[in-house]
Amino acid sequence: MKLTKQLLQERFDEYNEKYFYGKLGKCDFSFFPKNIICLGSYQKKEDKNGKIKDKIWLGSFVKWNEYLLEQVLLHEMIHVYNCRVENRFWYGILGHGSCFRKQVRRLKREY
């Protein structure tokens, strides 16, 4: 499957409503260059006025399918949720501490 920013925005909006109670705000999307081997990453940027912008990066070398896209996007959306809703982002190794694991357990339990 070929990823586009429009497709990612549609999935993000769908998963936001379904899994995160519609609490996540707007998110931008970018693709890693082909020489960077990474499935996904979340980036939080704060501008000079203190406004936070969320960005999810996805790998361009990956042969994406629906299942893989859902899993990686949900993973990155947990980071967005923890940053925006829980106000707890960088706890644990690269943001994968107890707050992150709590959301993983919640998603597994509820879905």
Side-chain angles (χ1 to χ4, degrees), residues 88-104:
R88 310 178 102 204
F89 178 58
W90 284 114
Y91 293 113
I93 298 172
L94 298 175
H96 298 102
S98 61
C99 194
F100 182 90
R101 292 189 309 271
K102 174 184 165 188
Q103 291 305 315
V104 170

Side-chain angles (χ1 to χ4, degrees), residues 3-101:
L3 295 187
T4 64
K5 290 183 181 182
Q6 179 181 346
L7 174 69
L8 293 174
Q9 189 63 58
E10 289 169 4
R11 292 298 195 284
F12 182 90
D13 293 342
E14 175 188 340
Y15 300 160
N16 182 22
E17 289 300 318
K18 182 175 181 179
Y19 301 115
F20 299 99
Y21 321 111
K23 293 183 177 182
L24 306 181
K26 184 179 178 328
C27 187
D28 293 327
F29 299 94
S30 285
F31 298 99
F32 287 116
K34 291 192 184 293
N35 64 336
I36 296 181
I37 300 175
C38 187
L39 287 175
S41 182
Y42 166 67
Q43 179 182 29
K44 174 182 99 170
K45 278 190 159 182
E46 191 171 338
D47 67 16
K48 59 186 174 188
N49 299 321
K51 183 177 178 187
I52 295 174
K53 294 185 102 178
D54 301 304
K55 183 180 253 188
I56 292 176
W57 292 78
L58 293 173
S60 53
F61 75 96
V62 179
K63 292 185 178 180
W64 292 99
N65 61 46
E66 290 292 337
Y67 177 78
L68 183 59
L69 176 60
E70 180 181 41
Q71 296 303 304
V72 173
L73 194 52
L74 283 174
H75 177 104
E76 301 310 333
M77 289 175 76
I78 291 172
H79 289 303
V80 177
Y81 183 86
N82 285 342
C83 178
R84 296 306 214 132
V85 179
E86 298 284 332
N87 295 317
R88 310 178 102 204
F89 178 58
W90 284 114
Y91 293 113
I93 298 172
L94 298 175
H96 298 102
S98 61
C99 194
F100 182 90
R101 292 189 309 271

